[in-house]
Amino acid sequence: MKKWYQETGSENDVVLNTRIRLLRNLEEFPFVSRLTKAECEKVNGIIKDVVLSNNDYDLSYIEMSSLSPYQTVSLAERGLITPEFASNSEGRALLLSEDESISIMLCEEDHIHIQAISSGLDFDKTYAAASNIDSIIDSNLQYAFDERIGYLTQNPANLGTGMRASVMLHLPALSITGSMPRLAATVSKLGLMLSSRYTSGITPVGNIYRLSNQVTLGISEKAALDNLKSIALQLVSQERQTREHVIKDDRYIDKIQRAYGILKTAHMMSCREFMELVSLVRLGSAGGILKTDIQTIDELMIDMQPATINAAENKNFTVGERDVFRAGAIKKKI
């Protein structure tokens, strides 16, 4: 079966994916921070039985303690679990669909963390997938819910809808022209956050940014998604307009073609170097300078992450061994 990121989505020259997360807690249990390991396992079992009894979804149940460290980190690299969830396996479990478009973290910060993800810009499909899982659980179990406040969550910042939505954007042209700090400040005034997906220290790597909602209280899910979609489309438009100027500049044409040449010939390739070079190649592909398929590039950006390579090959590579493997895999695909 194809993974979600092997599909071509809308606006895929700029938008990598759309993600919806719903945070829920069961009324009969305290928040996770007050649960013992045995109580977490009980909560996990209750939710597991409800979800797996529904035949609409082919989900696998994974005890996080059963995974190797690099298998766990790989899940976080692929955006299927949060880094916080990966940091501690005790009393935690995961429900995961075969195509990895649905993941349900159990006993993270909240009892239930439903996530749906789709390629490109697609709020309707992504929200429907998350909402359907939510409805299955809600029809069988009692959520912690207040008529005035909304869904009750351990972190007060998530009260209300309990929904976190985001769009992953590749914004190399806007990054090159130094527009990102201004844009981040502008969207923050609209209740959104624009942050770098990959960093080395404090330096953004790969020009990939996450646009996400910050307001969950006093706003409907539809209003939050409409706002997020509107701003995402504006950023898509600005990136495309800026790209038209950048790809006419001989300096950047040269950088794009050099980046492609290195990816095609290098014997070793670190993850950071790969992300920086592949960002330029993706820009060249989107701008028509290179014929490399954007879908192939997006698959590589996920598959060539460090722990994901280890997990796929079932080997605990040294850094050097992994860099050689990465360079070879890139040559074959690009």
Side-chain angles (χ1 to χ4, degrees), residues 1 3 17 44 54 67 70 151 171-172 193 199 215 220 227 231 242 245 268 275 277 294 303 307 310:
M1 176 182 284
K3 303 298 185 185
N17 63 65
N44 296 346
N54 186 282
L67 301 180
Y70 57 76
Y151 292 102
L171 304 174
M193 176 180 285
T199 59
V215 180
S220 69
N227 185 39
I231 301 304
T242 308
H245 296 287
M268 297 181 74
M275 292 301 292
L277 294 175
I294 285 179
D303 292 341
N310 285 357

Side-chain angles (χ1 to χ4, degrees), residues 10 22 80 142 163 181 188 199 235 241 244 268 286 288 304 313:
S10 174
L22 301 176
L80 303 176
Q142 186 66 45
M163 183 189 74
S188 69
T199 59
L235 289 172
Q241 290 174 16
E244 289 300 312
M268 297 181 74
M304 293 298 101
E313 298 301 310

Side-chain angles (χ1 to χ4, degrees), residues 9 21 46-47 64 67 75 84 118 129 147-148 184 187 197 202 205 220 226 228 232 234 284 291 302 315 327 330:
R21 290 171 169 169
I46 291 170
I47 300 164
M64 294 304 296
L67 301 180
L75 290 170
E84 196 282 330
S118 301
E147 290 293 338
R148 183 175 59 88
V187 302
R197 170 67 174 87
I202 60 173
V205 176
S220 69
D226 286 347
L228 184 59
Q234 290 181 48
K291 294 182 179 180
I302 292 176
K315 293 181 181 179
I330 292 166

Side-chain angles (χ1 to χ4, degrees), residues 7-18 119-123 167-171 229 232-237 239-240 243 282 286 294-295 298:
E7 302 288 344
T8 300
S10 174
E11 320 294 345
N12 77 319
D13 61 316
V14 178
V15 182
L16 280 75
N17 63 65
T18 304
S119 181
L121 187 66
D122 196 337
F123 282 103
V167 180
M168 204 75 73
L169 304 154
H170 182 226
L171 304 174
K229 182 178 181 179
L233 286 172
Q234 290 181 48
L235 289 172
V236 168
S237 177
E239 172 65 20
R240 287 171 176 164
R243 181 202 303 157
R282 198 179 194 280
I294 285 179
Q295 192 60 48
D298 291 351

